[in-house]
Amino acid sequence: MNNEKMIKALNDQVNKELYSAYFYLSMQAYFSSINLDGFANFYRVQVQEERDHALGFFNYISKIGGKLAFSEIQKPQTEFSSPQEVFELTLNHEQAVTQSIYSLMDIAREVRDHTTEIFLQWFITEQAEEEENVSRVLNKLKLIKGDGAGLFMIDNELAQRVYVAAVIPV
């Protein structure tokens, strides 16, 4: 039998993941508008990954017989002052998502939902990677201090990022 508290928290996470995709889409649009196509590509991949995460939670809820619930997706920030600001916001956002997933794990442990604990482990590992990737770019942006040549180099590096569909064990 499904625990209502767990199902509600999982549904809330679907919304958070969809918001993440929406938030990163606004960042993709920002970078496209200032002709930093590599940065835009980085966020295009982020959008796809966040949709995968939302669908992973959605499919899991369905698989375990939980009731799927939908709520409004908050409008994301759309104005940014610099690439560094965008990556600072991204790191803060990813850290908040990590805490949200940790909270899900806490609930799963509280209600002794071992199956959900196993499911969530994939996301915990994924969040560590997300924070590391964003931190690397942010540290490079801090090093170059807005230098155009450095920004061009990072843009070229980020243009190489390729979307790989997540294989979320559901």
Side-chain angles (χ1 to χ4, degrees):
M1 180 153 200
N2 293 319
N3 180 283
E4 286 183 36
K5 182 177 181 180
M6 186 83 258
I7 297 297
K8 181 186 180 328
L10 290 167
N11 270 301
D12 289 346
Q13 192 65 36
V14 171
N15 185 271
K16 290 174 185 176
E17 299 293 342
L18 290 171
Y19 172 76
S20 294
Y22 202 29
F23 189 43
Y24 294 150
L25 191 60
S26 75
M27 294 171 172
Q28 179 186 340
Y30 164 73
F31 283 117
S32 291
S33 75
I34 60 171
N35 299 312
L36 287 173
D37 297 333
F39 282 88
N41 178 63
F42 178 91
Y43 281 97
R44 183 177 305 108
V45 172
Q46 283 298 116
V47 168
Q48 293 168 310
E49 286 183 359
E50 299 305 335
R51 287 191 318 228
D52 286 350
H53 299 169
L55 288 172
F57 281 101
F58 180 90
N59 291 337
Y60 180 74
I61 294 166
S62 181
K63 177 183 176 182
I64 63 172
K67 182 178 180 190
L68 294 155
F70 297 91
S71 57
E72 289 185 32
I73 300 171
Q74 175 187 349
K75 180 184 177 191
Q77 178 176 338
T78 57
E79 299 291 327
F80 307 99
S81 63
S82 69
Q84 184 173 326
E85 179 198 15
V86 172
F87 275 84
E88 287 169 348
L89 290 169
T90 300
L91 182 58
N92 289 338
H93 180 74
E94 288 298 333
Q95 290 169 337
V97 170
T98 298
Q99 289 307 309
S100 180
I101 292 171
Y102 288 171
S103 294
L104 289 172
M105 182 65 87
D106 291 343
I107 294 168
R109 288 179 175 161
E110 173 191 322
V111 301
R112 300 181 49 80
D113 184 345
H114 304 294
T115 304
T116 299
E117 283 186 53
I118 293 166
F119 169 73
L120 291 171
Q121 189 58 55
W122 184 91
F123 288 94
I124 290 171
T125 302
E126 173 70 7
Q127 281 307 120
E129 291 174 17
E130 294 283 359
E131 288 185 31
E132 180 184 3
N133 290 338
V134 173
S135 291
R136 276 195 191 135
V137 177
L138 180 56
N139 289 336
K140 290 176 184 178
L141 288 168
K142 288 177 180 177
L143 280 172
I144 66 165
K145 299 178 182 167
D147 174 70
L151 197 59
F152 179 73
M153 289 175 64
I154 296 170
D155 190 60
N156 283 332
E157 178 185 330
L158 296 180
Q160 305 307 310
R161 188 172 187 212
V162 177
Y163 169 69
V164 177
V167 180
I168 302 170
V170 177

